């Protein structure tokens, strides 16, 4: 058995090699998803085995799946984890009767608690990262077990000293060890060179199969390395010859004692009939020493679209796009937009095209019989037409609820192709920019104060492009004066009227004080010299007399105003 230190050194060297290959990649190469897994994980029986799979080149969202590959190459899905940012949703699909069952930790690693020798298999990690691609990597789990105490069972029969073939003296068993323990026999302290097992039969049966990676139906993917295994049941191990049948002729590929043949980077031309023959000349004449199988290489060529990367159509028109592909086995085609399936088949038909029809369409080719073999091709649909406008509702909505001086923010959305320009009937509009939610909408906003003039004329937003224009007018209805402003106006008018009355009263009093004879007519005494004396008969009052005097004689005699003798 290889020492643990040596195994650790080998694993470290392989990791360093993988790191060196990644660091040595060309700087201009396109980033694609890769899966980094240790090629070999070794634990002791009863310990927990943790199989790590680290995706490289993902953009935050990917799906990680774990498969168990059995000896015939068939894969069984064990668990999966979907990673979105820092969140991971894990699920175990099939533990295949294992107790305790398989687990996924918070990093998507496959955990085998209380590992047993039966867990010693190949485990495949598959990473699907959408547009970044799909990749897979295989890790081999080795479970070491310390053998139990040896048991020696002597042969109780009679041994012959005259026979010229080896005879069994005793059997030494050391069960439940992995790998199989080496048993050494000693006689009187001296080591004996004896075979581990006595098998006098010649080869009788040959088994020939395709190792991983292959599907349940025997398909292998173009570009992968494929292993062919051949095993005979004879002892000692016979010599194996691998060949390929072409035009009924055997083309020998390899001869060895291990029974393994690796085909690196298989291509579609490698499809055909392969055979393995055991060269055992001691076998019986009726023994089947040769087996053949069909190697089927699946391939999928790049997709071809009937249009270029962009397709421009007019509003309310119709169009059709064809997607063609070559592959084996026959691929299935489907169309999607925004991850929503639109239909199956090579032709995508669109009718009554609207602006909502614009966007990126994907043609996806896949092979249900060959997992992980798929291709996509996309084109962008541009819809030309005059712009359409929609406003963002403003608050408040009730009629007459706007007041003079209220500040309002108006938002106008528009879309069309070519992209429309937005303008406002008032100054201060913001430049047009893509609106949240996409779908080709752009938006512009305008902030202003509500006035009576705006209530009468409204505020308009207009979108235009070479195909036409569209317009929307924002109305505010009746605009009420601000409550505070109305109170100030009333107070100002009251103060103005009061001041005017005070000025008039002051002027009046000053005039009275400046005329000493005013209002003295009603007192006892004679009138001033030169004034005629009037009778006070009847109901004439002194004030009326003074007014009459002033109006009748004052102007003629003194040439002054009528207020001279006013009381």
């Amino acid at each position: 058995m290889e020492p643990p230190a040596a195994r650790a050194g080998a694993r470290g060297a392989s990791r360093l090699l993988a790191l060196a290959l990644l660091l040595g990649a060309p700087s201009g190469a396109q980033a694609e998803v890769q899966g980094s897994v240790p090629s070999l994980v070794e634990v002791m029986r009863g310990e927990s085995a943790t199989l790590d799979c680290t995706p490289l080149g993902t953009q935050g969202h990917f799906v990680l799946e774990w498969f168990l590959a059995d000896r015939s190459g068939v894969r069984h899905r064990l668990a999966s984890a979907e990673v979105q940012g820092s969140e991971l949703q894990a699920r175990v699909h099939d533990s295949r009767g294992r107790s305790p069952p398989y687990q996924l930790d918070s990093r998507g690693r496959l955990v085998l608690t209380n590992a047993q020798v039966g867990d010693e298999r190949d485990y495949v990690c598959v990473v699907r990262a959408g547009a970044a691609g799909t990749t897979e990597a295989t890790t081999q789990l080795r479970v070491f077990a310390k053998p139990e105490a040896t048991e020696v069972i002597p042969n109780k029969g009679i041994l012959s000293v005259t026979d010229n073939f080896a005879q069994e003296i005793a059997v030494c068993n050391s069960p439940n060890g992995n790998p199989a323990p080496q048993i050494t026999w000693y006689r009187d302290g001296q080591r004996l060179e004896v075979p581990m097992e006595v098998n006098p039969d010649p080869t009788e049966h040959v088994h020939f199969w395709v190792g991983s990676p292959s599907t349940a139906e025997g398909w292998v993917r173009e570009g992968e390395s494929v292993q062919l295994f051949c095993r005979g049941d004879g002892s000692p191990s016979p010599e194996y010859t691998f060949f390929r049948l072409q035009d009924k002729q055997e083309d020998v590929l390899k001869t060895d004692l291990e029974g393994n043949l690796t085909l690196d980077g298989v291509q579609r031309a490698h499809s055909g009939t392969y055979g393995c023959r055991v060269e055992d000349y001691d076998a019986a004449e009726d023994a089947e020493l040769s087996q053949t199988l069909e190697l089927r290489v699946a391939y999928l060529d790049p997709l071809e679209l009937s249009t270029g990367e962009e397709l421009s159509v007019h509003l309310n028109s119709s169009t059709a796009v064809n997607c063609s592909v070559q592959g084996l086995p026959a691929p299935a085609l489907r169309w999607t937009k925004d991850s929503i399936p639109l239909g199956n088949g090579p032709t995508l038909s669109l009718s009554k095209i609207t602006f909502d029809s614009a966007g990126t369409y994907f043609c996806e080719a896949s092979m249900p019989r060959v997992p992980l073999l798929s291709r996509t091709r996309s084109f962008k649909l541009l819809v030309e037409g005059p712009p359409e406008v929609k406003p963002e509702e403003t608050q408040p909505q009730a009629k007459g609820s706007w007041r003079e001086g209220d500040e309002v923010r108006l938002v106008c959305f528009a879309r069309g192709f070519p992209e429309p320009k937005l303008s406002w009937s008032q100054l201060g509009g913001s430049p047009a920019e893509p609106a949240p939610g996409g779908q080709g909408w752009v938006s512009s906003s305008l902030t202003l104060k509500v006035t009576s003039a705006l209530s009468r004329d409204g505020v308009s937003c207009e979108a235009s492009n070479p195909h036409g224009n569209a317009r929307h007018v924002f109305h505010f209805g009746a605009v009420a004066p601000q409550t505070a402003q109305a109170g100030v106006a009333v107070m100002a008018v009251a103060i103005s009227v009061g001041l005017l009355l005070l000025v008039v009263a002051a002027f009046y009093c000053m005039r009275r004080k400046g005329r000493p004879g005013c209002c003295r007519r009603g007192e006892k005494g004679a009138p001033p010299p030169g004034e005629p004396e009037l009778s006070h008969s009847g109901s004439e009052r002194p004030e009326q007399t003074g007014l009459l005097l002033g109006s009748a004689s004052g102007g003629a005699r003194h040439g002054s105003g009528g207020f001279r003798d006013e009381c």
Side-chain angles (χ1 to χ4, degrees), residues 151-159 168-173 185:
E151 179 184 10
V152 178
I153 303 175
N155 184 358
K156 299 180 179 180
I158 299 175
L159 301 179
E168 181 181 295
I169 299 176
V171 175
C172 180
N173 291 325
W185 286 93

Side-chain angles (χ1 to χ4, degrees), residues 56 96 99 124 139 168 249 321 346 348 350 392 421 441 451 474 520:
L56 304 175
R96 300 186 60 78
S99 180
V124 182
T139 183
E168 181 181 295
Q249 298 293 325
V321 179
L348 171 68
L350 300 174
E392 182 180 80
K421 295 182 179 179
W441 290 98
T451 64
F474 294 86
R520 293 182 181 179

Side-chain angles (χ1 to χ4, degrees), residues 33-72:
V33 65
Q34 297 179 356
S36 174
V37 302
S39 60
L40 180 64
V41 175
E42 298 175 338
V43 296
M44 293 298 296
R45 183 174 60 188
E47 297 178 347
S48 292
T50 302
L51 309 184
D52 193 5
C53 182
T54 304
L56 304 175
T58 59
Q59 301 298 321
H61 178 265
F62 60 90
V63 176
L64 183 150
E65 296 177 301
W66 282 102
F67 293 85
L68 171 66
D70 61 22
R71 290 176 175 83
S72 64

Side-chain angles (χ1 to χ4, degrees), residues 43 45 203 251-252 344 414 466 474 521 540:
V43 296
R45 183 174 60 188
T203 303
D251 182 11
V252 177
N344 299 323
F474 294 86
R521 301 276 184 187
E540 292 181 351

Side-chain angles (χ1 to χ4, degrees), residues 67-136:
F67 293 85
L68 171 66
D70 61 22
R71 290 176 175 83
S72 64
V74 178
R75 294 181 178 180
H76 305 276
R77 190 185 189 196
L78 302 179
S80 64
E82 183 173 359
V83 179
Q84 180 72 52
S86 60
E87 297 183 0
L88 181 145
Q89 296 180 351
R91 180 184 177 188
V92 176
H93 300 279
D94 185 6
S95 288
R96 300 186 60 78
R98 188 184 189 278
S99 180
Y102 298 105
Q103 298 177 0
L104 282 181
D105 66 7
S106 59
R107 294 168 53 187
R109 300 182 299 181
L110 186 66
V111 179
L112 291 80
T113 306
N114 190 20
Q116 299 297 317
V117 176
D119 294 321
E120 196 171 80
R121 299 285 189 88
D122 288 342
Y123 296 85
V124 182
C125 172
V126 178
V127 178
R128 309 176 194 272
T134 301
T135 188
E136 66 175 55

Side-chain angles (χ1 to χ4, degrees), residues 313-319 350-355 357 381 383:
V313 297
H314 289 283
L315 195 65
N316 298 320
S317 64
S318 300
T319 189
L350 300 174
S351 60
K352 297 181 181 179
I353 293 176
T354 67
F355 286 128
S357 304
L381 182 67
V383 180

Side-chain angles (χ1 to χ4, degrees), residues 334-344:
R334 74 165 186 166
W335 288 92
T336 62
K337 178 178 181 286
D338 299 328
S339 300
I340 299 175
L342 302 178
N344 299 323

Side-chain angles (χ1 to χ4, degrees), residues 136-478:
E136 66 175 55
T138 302
T139 183
Q140 182 183 13
L141 176 62
R142 294 293 307 276
V143 181
F144 297 100
K146 181 180 178 181
E148 298 179 5
T150 58
E151 179 184 10
V152 178
I153 303 175
N155 184 358
K156 299 180 179 180
I158 299 175
L159 301 179
S160 173
V161 297
T162 61
D163 292 336
N164 58 1
F165 56 85
Q167 300 179 67
E168 181 181 295
I169 299 176
V171 175
C172 180
N173 291 325
S174 181
N176 300 326
N178 191 50
Q182 295 290 332
I183 297 178
T184 305
W185 286 93
Y186 294 86
R187 183 181 66 181
D188 298 333
Q190 299 295 321
R191 179 172 178 174
L192 299 176
E193 297 295 336
V194 296
M196 290 289 295
E197 187 176 53
V198 177
N199 184 2
D201 297 332
T203 303
E204 296 178 348
H205 302 93
V206 175
H207 301 278
F208 187 34
W209 72 95
V210 179
S212 62
S214 69
T215 67
E217 299 182 7
W219 290 96
V220 297
R221 289 176 286 272
E222 188 174 44
E224 294 182 335
S225 294
V226 179
Q227 290 182 320
L228 303 181
F229 297 110
C230 188
R231 295 293 184 268
D233 59 358
S235 178
S237 179
E239 184 178 68
Y240 300 94
T241 299
F242 292 92
F243 59 90
R244 182 181 181 186
L245 287 177
Q246 290 183 312
D247 298 329
K248 299 182 179 180
Q249 298 293 325
E250 289 188 5
D251 182 11
V252 177
L253 305 176
K254 180 184 179 182
T255 300
D256 68 0
L257 296 175
E258 297 179 353
N260 299 336
L261 174 63
T262 301
L263 302 176
D264 294 320
V266 295
Q267 300 298 315
R268 62 194 68 177
H270 292 151
S271 296
T273 303
Y274 289 78
C276 168
R277 182 173 55 251
V278 174
E279 306 295 348
D280 189 347
Y281 302 102
D282 295 328
E285 293 183 359
D286 59 348
E288 295 182 0
L289 302 181
S290 179
Q291 293 288 341
T292 60
L293 58 80
E294 288 294 323
L295 181 65
R296 297 186 286 182
V297 179
Y299 64 90
L300 185 62
D301 290 337
L303 306 182
E304 296 292 338
L305 297 179
S306 60
T307 183
E309 294 183 355
E310 290 187 347
L311 175 61
S312 180
V313 297
H314 289 283
L315 195 65
N316 298 320
S317 64
S318 300
T319 189
V321 179
N322 290 320
C323 179
S324 59
V325 62
Q326 296 292 329
L328 187 71
L333 293 174
R334 74 165 186 166
W335 288 92
T336 62
K337 178 178 181 286
D338 299 328
S339 300
I340 299 175
L342 302 178
N344 299 323
T347 303
L348 171 68
S349 298
L350 300 174
S351 60
K352 297 181 181 179
I353 293 176
T354 67
F355 286 128
D356 289 328
S357 304
T360 302
Y361 291 79
F362 289 88
C363 175
E364 302 176 358
S366 62
M367 294 183 173
R369 299 163 64 184
V370 186
L372 307 180
L373 190 56
S374 62
R375 288 185 183 271
T376 61
R377 188 75 181 269
S378 65
F379 75 93
K380 187 175 183 180
L381 182 67
L382 305 176
V383 180
E384 294 193 24
E388 61 182 37
V389 175
K390 69 175 182 179
E392 182 180 80
E393 296 296 336
T394 57
Q395 297 292 338
Q397 296 293 326
K399 184 177 180 180
S401 56
W402 289 103
R403 294 185 178 277
E404 189 89 15
D406 283 352
E407 187 174 87
V408 61
R409 181 176 181 269
L410 307 178
V411 181
C412 189
F413 298 91
R415 67 175 174 179
F417 189 81
E419 182 179 293
K421 295 182 179 179
L422 284 171
S423 59
W424 294 87
S425 60
Q426 300 289 328
L427 298 178
S430 65
E433 58 184 13
Q439 297 295 330
W441 290 98
V442 295
S443 66
S444 175
S445 62
L446 173 67
T447 301
L448 43 72
K449 292 184 181 297
V450 177
T451 64
S452 299
L454 292 181
S455 172
R456 180 179 65 254
D457 302 331
V459 179
S460 64
C461 161
E462 184 172 359
S464 61
N465 70 3
H467 296 288
N469 54 55
R471 186 167 176 261
H472 177 79
V473 179
F474 294 86
H475 293 284
F476 303 95

